[in-house]
Amino acid sequence: MEPAQLLLFNATLLAAMATPGPALVFAIKQAATGGFRAGLMTGCGLAVVAAGWTAAALWGLDMVFRLFPAVFIVLKTAGALYLLWLAWRMWQTAREPLDDHAPSGTRAFWSGVLVNLGNPKSVLFAASVLVVIFPAGLGMGDKVFIIFNHFVVELFVYALLAATLASPPARATYLGMKPVLDRITAIILGGLGLRLLLGRS
């Protein structure tokens, strides 16, 4: 594994995280309603599962999809329908106030885990990006380092997000713009869902 490959992976990962998806939307709402600790623990749960999908990809997830295309098709279709449902719900509830009782601690961690377990964006990122960036035949040490690196990058981003949204001015700004932001995000998620559903691969 070359350092340039790891840098490319991190740049691609940051770009993917910046694109609105279920994980980012959930992390923002958790931090805005529950404060820094809730946002951090949620981010930790999200990061654990995202790194887990990377581990699965490095140890054969892409091969499973190649050997059993039906598995990929089912996963892609289910993920697309989930994104479309999420987009519809976000559009409907854009003007509703956020719940002030976000889970914290262990509950926040497991809520993050559950969100990313069903997040098609996280699965498809791992299954597609890794095989393009990294060469075949990586050693055990390289694979473990890539997985750990993925976890650290995700956790850092979610911690930074939580610290930012936990401050009263940032929270007030977000809540004031929530109807517009939710509907913009709903359009993006709906577009991603349609692209997944109608795409050939």
Side-chain angles (χ1 to χ4, degrees), residues 4-193:
Q5 293 168 338
L6 189 64
L7 289 174
L8 178 59
F9 172 74
N10 285 342
T12 308
L13 174 58
L14 289 171
M17 291 183 70
T19 305
L24 181 63
V25 171
F26 188 65
I28 289 173
K29 291 188 175 182
Q30 286 285 90
T33 57
F36 175 75
R37 187 164 185 264
L40 179 64
M41 293 301 293
T42 300
C44 188
L46 292 168
V48 165
V49 177
W53 287 124
T54 289
L58 288 171
W59 271 289
L61 181 61
D62 179 66
M63 184 176 294
V64 170
F65 287 159
R66 290 176 186 275
L67 292 174
F68 305 100
V71 175
F72 178 78
I73 293 171
V74 169
L75 180 63
K76 188 180 75 164
T77 303
L81 294 175
Y82 171 66
L83 288 176
L84 290 172
W85 175 82
L86 187 62
W88 175 248
R89 287 293 301 151
M90 287 198 71
W91 186 274
Q92 281 190 317
T93 61
R95 293 192 175 277
E96 293 181 7
L98 287 176
D99 185 359
D100 289 333
H101 303 288
S104 59
T106 303
R107 288 181 60 203
F109 171 83
W110 286 112
S111 66
V113 167
L114 291 175
V115 166
N116 249 359
L117 279 175
N119 182 5
K121 181 182 168 187
S122 185
V123 181
L124 297 175
F125 172 84
S128 58
V129 171
L130 286 167
V131 297
V132 175
I133 294 177
F134 295 109
L138 287 171
M140 177 69 72
D142 285 340
K143 290 179 179 180
V144 171
F145 186 80
I146 292 168
I147 295 164
F148 178 72
N149 167 84
H150 188 160
F151 172 77
V152 170
V153 170
E154 293 237 356
L155 186 59
F156 174 79
V157 170
Y158 289 128
L160 184 62
L161 183 68
T164 301
L165 287 173
S167 67
R171 184 178 186 274
T173 300
Y174 169 74
L175 293 177
M177 297 180 64
K178 178 184 174 295
V180 174
L181 292 175
D182 277 8
R183 288 188 169 164
I184 291 173
T185 304
I187 292 171
I188 294 172
L189 292 180
L192 290 173

